[in-house]
């Protein structure tokens, strides 16, 4: 059962409702400080995943090659344009900041944390990443809803579809994996989580969606390194 996915979606909806009700009572200082804390939490989650690495060359190669593929395919641009088309069809009010809503949509539905967490939960039954993300998203949605109001809650719909699809597809992949492949997959996801933290902290703007192919490559390259390349040394 996709407990982590459902919890994550619920956290965005609840956060959106609370933010729309409390928007006039939350100061800018509070918003900025909490956003910074979200970034530190993402870094902590990334570090805890990276240390699970079993084959460093495979992990590094996955990140580099996967990001190159994402950039060549303009994956982030495609996601942004697709989200923009969806938003243009929704009657959310003339005073709504669609740019901000688009940012929130990508953050909640196409972030490395959500994709990594959904795949991990589907393959291993470990929902801890999605549950930790749910805590972050509850307060992040609250902050977004201070400007976007209840429109933030609508993000739960595409989020449920995307993360749910990843969860159930991952269950088909799990029988083909090994413990080493899963640890290396988590390590690649950890790199994406670190990049997410840098984005939130505005240390460096990273095209997170373009890094998604790295997580697809992680397990095949880990298996290749373990079974083919490593025995040669």
């Amino acid at each position: 059962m996709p407990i982590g996915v459902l919890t994550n979606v619920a956290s965005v909806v609840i956060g959106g409702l609370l933010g729309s009700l409390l928007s006039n009572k939350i100061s800018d200082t509070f918003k900025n400080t909490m956003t910074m804390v979200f970034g530190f939490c993402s870094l902590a989650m990334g570090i805890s995943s990276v240390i699970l690495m079993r084959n460093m060359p495979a992990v590094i190669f996955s990140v580099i090659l996967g990001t190159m593929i994402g950039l060549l395919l303009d994956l982030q641009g495609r996601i942004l344009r697709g989200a923009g088309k969806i938003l243009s069809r929704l009657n959310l009010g003339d005073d709504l900041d669609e740019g901000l809503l688009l940012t929130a949509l990508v953050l909640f539905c196409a972030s490395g944390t959500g994709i990594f967490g959904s795949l991990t939960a589907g393959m291993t039954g470990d929902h801890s990443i999605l549950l930790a993300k749910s805590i972050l998203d509850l307060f992040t949605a609250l902050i977004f809803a201070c400007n976007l109001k209840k429109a933030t809650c609508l993000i739960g719909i595409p989020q449920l579809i995307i993360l749910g699809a990843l969860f159930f597809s991952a269950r088909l992949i799990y029988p083909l994996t090994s413990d080493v492949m899963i640890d290396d997959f988590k390590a690649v996801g950890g790199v994406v989580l670190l990049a997410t933290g840098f984005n939130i902290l505005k240390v460096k703007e990273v095209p997170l969606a373009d890094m998604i192919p790295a997580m697809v490559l992680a397990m095949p390259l880990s298996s290749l390194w373990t079974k083919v390349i490593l025995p040669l040394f």
Side-chain angles (χ1 to χ4, degrees):
M1 184 173 178
I3 298 173
V5 173
L6 295 175
T7 303
N8 197 190
V9 172
S11 71
V12 172
V13 174
I14 294 171
L17 290 173
L18 290 175
S20 63
L21 294 173
L22 302 174
S23 58
N24 296 327
K25 300 180 181 180
I26 300 177
S27 67
D28 290 337
T29 301
F30 181 86
K31 296 176 188 176
N32 294 333
T33 302
M34 290 308 301
T35 299
M36 181 173 60
V37 171
F38 300 156
F40 290 136
C41 290
S42 183
L43 291 176
M45 291 165 64
I47 293 170
S48 68
S49 296
V50 169
I51 60 176
L52 299 173
M53 186 187 311
R54 303 281 284 273
N55 295 305
M56 183 180 293
V59 170
I60 298 301
F61 189 45
S62 297
V63 173
I64 294 174
L65 182 59
T67 305
M68 288 174 61
I69 292 173
L71 289 169
L72 290 172
L73 294 176
D74 188 24
L75 196 56
Q76 180 146 311
R78 291 173 186 270
I79 292 173
L80 291 173
R81 287 191 292 272
K85 291 180 180 179
I86 294 173
L87 293 177
S88 66
R89 297 180 181 179
L90 297 176
N91 184 19
L92 299 173
D94 297 332
D95 59 340
L96 185 70
D97 186 344
E98 289 196 358
L100 184 61
L101 182 58
L102 181 59
T103 299
L105 185 65
V106 173
L107 179 64
F108 292 126
C109 301
S111 70
T113 316
I115 293 170
F116 172 49
S118 299
L119 290 172
T120 299
M123 287 190 294
T124 68
D126 179 7
H127 299 274
S128 60
I129 294 172
L130 282 178
L131 294 177
K133 180 179 184 292
S134 298
I135 297 172
L136 291 175
D137 284 356
L138 173 66
F139 295 100
T140 305
L142 189 154
I143 300 300
F144 271 109
C146 290
N147 295 313
L148 298 175
K149 307 302 180 184
K150 294 182 180 179
T152 308
C153 300
L154 292 174
I155 297 174
I157 298 173
Q159 185 185 36
L160 177 62
I161 295 171
I162 294 171
L163 299 189
L166 289 169
F167 174 85
F168 287 110
S169 63
R171 298 183 70 175
L172 301 176
I173 300 172
Y174 182 68
L176 305 175
T177 66
S178 67
D179 291 341
V180 173
M181 292 167 64
I182 291 173
D183 284 345
D184 285 340
F185 169 77
K186 290 181 177 180
V188 171
V191 175
V192 177
L193 290 174
L194 289 171
T196 302
F198 285 127
N199 262 18
I200 295 174
L201 293 170
K202 297 182 179 180
V203 175
K204 184 68 176 180
E205 190 68 25
V206 182
L208 296 174
D210 289 328
M211 298 181 72
I212 292 173
M215 289 185 282
V216 177
L217 295 175
M219 287 191 286
L221 290 179
S222 174
S223 178
L224 179 66
W225 179 265
T226 302
K227 297 179 180 178
V228 179
I229 300 177
L230 199 57
L232 297 176
F233 293 94

